[in-house]
Amino acid sequence: MIKKESIESLKNHLDVVDVVSQFIELKKTGANFKACCPFHGETTPSFVVSPAKQIYHCFGCGVGGDSIKFVMEYEKLSYPETIEKLASMYNFNLDYENSTEKKQDTKVIEDVNRFYQKLFVSNDSVKEYIHKRGISEFSIEKFEIGYAPASADTINFLKSNHYNLTDAIDLGIIDTGTNGLYSRFIERITFPIYSISGKLVGFGGRTITGHNAKYVNSPQTKLFNKSRLLYGYQIAKEHIYKKNQIIVCEGYLDVIMLHQAGFNTAVATLGTALTQEHLPLLRRGEPKIILAYDGDKAGLAAAFKASVMLSQSEFEGGVIIFADGMDPADMVNNGKIEDLNEIFSNPISFTPYAIDYIISKYDINDANQKQKALLESNEYLKSLGLIYQDEYKRYLAQKLNIRENLIQISSNKQRTFTPNLSKIDIAELCIIKSILEKPQRLDSVLDIVDSSMFEAHKNEFELLLSDINDISLNSIVLNEKLENYDDDRLNQELLTLLYKFYANKLTAISYDKDLDFKQKANLIRKIKDNINQLKKGKLVSYNL
């Protein structure tokens, strides 16, 4: 774990304008910088970066924060990943809580990857196989395709270059057996696999010499967990965020060929089905998920399991099934790019695909089988949100040719959405901004102002009181249409705010039938005294 003191030192080392400008183009406008927001499509710049406050805020979509938050959101990284990326960008040394814990040295796996790439270039039979599959020289270089030689050759490479063999074992490059050291990848085409932050963590390997296993992957290590990784994600991620789409395939060659054909949001699972552990990665950027699976029995079953999981987690997207023994790589190699465009434009949504798959297991011409199909489909349907249940019960009824009332859905009530209908009050916002600009004003303001005095922006004032550094307040600080009052102007605006509040309070209490005479008389006297003081230009303490 990174030490908190080290993170604070890094923060002090960062300048928000410098950090943000390394990812998007900023233009100076007055005291701040502006750009078109990278988090939503816009043509008029509403993304503001403040060097004075060291924050950014978009007035279009509401995102905001500091340098670290920007890199987290832009690169879709976790907090520790972001800290390490920024430290690397600025050549800053981080300190870790457990200083005895040695940080994983990945130099050996990076150098082995380069070794495999060089061997690929010099191996004609391997290159011939790759070229026959339609993969171009550009794609070979882009995806760093390599070739792992005989086991002894990899061991000799490591020893002759004096690499730490323990590191090589920890990273899954080699292992020890009854006959000593051996390579994990023997006579295989290699496909390097990267983490989302761009760190090489392992390999996938395809045999071309008849090994029993067609594909193998690196073993589980501290860096490599195949259930949390997707092949090609580090190359596809920027396209995924821009196009709001991710194509999930079954094979490495599918990914490479789809990218080669312009479908640059393609990724693949690592020889395993899509799992719950993949969901956080798929959720980044909230893309539409397209499952591109083979039409064999295994592919159909995998698509069903993934569809159930994704629909229950309320992901958008659908399923593409490739029939006639074809896969995406074959279609690209055969020049069927337009066909692929058409196919990817019309996926079957997850829920109807799952219902169709369940029903396909039964002979619904038989009443007993139809009943079983109904029960299984209904159980799946009840695992979805209420709107989905209501929408697809009609679909299920039509597929089974039964009455809709035979399909039971959950009766759990969902929370109703209450829109925010609060109005904008410029004067109130300017008061809040003036306090945010000079927090030392808060002590004197607290004596005279109560949050109930803010008709339109009570929540913002209460947030200011509870956490003056909350990023939600950035939209007020960076709003150039709001004035930052000097002390005299602030006092004048506070007089107006207080006078309006007490005048309204006086009217409300006068008509309040729940107060007894003595209480009412006492409150009216206090309010009238306050109003008289305000008319003389004196700010009064809140006393109600």
Side-chain angles (χ1 to χ4, degrees), residues 407-421:
I407 300 167
Q408 301 172 354
I409 62 173
S410 173
S411 59
N412 293 333
K413 292 183 179 179
Q414 291 184 324
R415 290 183 298 173
T416 57
F417 172 70
T418 304
N420 181 7
L421 300 176

Side-chain angles (χ1 to χ4, degrees), residues 217-251:
N217 290 302
S218 292
Q220 184 92 353
T221 68
K222 288 181 180 179
L223 299 180
F224 187 88
N225 180 344
K226 66 181 181 180
S227 294
R228 293 180 181 173
L229 295 164
L230 291 169
Y231 175 70
Y233 193 91
Q234 91 285 358
I235 293 173
K237 67 177 182 178
E238 289 306 319
H239 304 291
I240 291 167
Y241 306 146
K242 287 176 182 176
K243 295 182 177 180
N244 195 37
Q245 177 202 76
I246 182 170
I247 300 170
V248 182
C249 310
E250 293 184 280

Side-chain angles (χ1 to χ4, degrees), residues 280-328:
L281 185 54
L282 291 176
R283 187 75 73 182
R284 291 177 185 246
E286 298 290 336
K288 179 180 178 182
I289 316 292
I290 296 178
L291 303 176
Y293 285 11
D294 293 344
D296 57 16
K297 188 175 181 180
L300 294 172
F304 167 67
K305 289 179 181 177
S307 292
V308 169
M309 180 177 65
L310 292 170
S311 58
Q312 288 172 340
S313 300
E314 298 190 359
F315 280 85
E316 287 188 53
V319 181
I320 303 295
I321 297 297
F322 291 89
D324 304 322
M326 297 289 284
D327 58 28

Side-chain angles (χ1 to χ4, degrees), residues 84-221:
E84 291 185 337
K85 182 178 181 72
L86 283 165
S88 175
M89 286 168 61
Y90 287 91
N91 198 26
F92 184 92
N93 291 321
L94 294 169
D95 296 323
Y96 291 80
E97 292 287 355
N98 187 357
S99 58
T100 60
E101 185 179 339
K102 180 175 174 285
K103 193 176 178 183
Q104 186 76 66
D105 184 2
T106 58
K107 186 177 186 301
V108 60
I109 194 171
E110 291 161 1
D111 287 352
V112 165
N113 185 38
R114 283 188 280 271
F115 172 59
Y116 289 165
Q117 285 179 269
K118 288 178 181 177
L119 291 180
F120 176 89
V121 173
S122 59
N123 191 311
D124 291 336
S125 61
V126 176
K127 286 197 296 184
E128 183 184 359
Y129 170 81
I130 287 294
H131 289 146
K132 277 185 177 178
R133 294 301 304 265
I135 297 174
S136 68
E137 289 294 334
F138 177 78
S139 294
I140 291 169
E141 186 175 339
K142 178 181 177 180
F143 286 89
E144 301 176 12
I145 297 173
Y147 178 71
S151 181
D153 292 339
T154 298
I155 303 296
N156 289 337
F157 169 78
L158 294 170
K159 288 181 175 179
S160 63
N161 286 280
H162 308 291
Y163 290 107
N164 186 321
L165 297 182
T166 301
D167 283 341
I169 292 171
D170 289 344
L171 290 167
I173 300 165
I174 59 173
D175 207 348
T176 55
T178 53
N179 297 320
L181 292 171
Y182 68 93
S183 175
R184 286 278 189 175
F185 296 90
I186 301 170
E187 297 175 342
R188 289 179 181 272
I189 298 171
T190 56
F191 304 90
I193 297 163
Y194 286 82
S195 69
I196 185 174
S197 60
K199 182 183 291 184
L200 179 61
V201 294
F203 295 97
R206 189 195 194 285
T207 183
I208 58 168
T209 56
H211 286 279
N212 287 335
K214 185 176 179 181
Y215 281 96
V216 296
N217 290 302
S218 292
Q220 184 92 353
T221 68

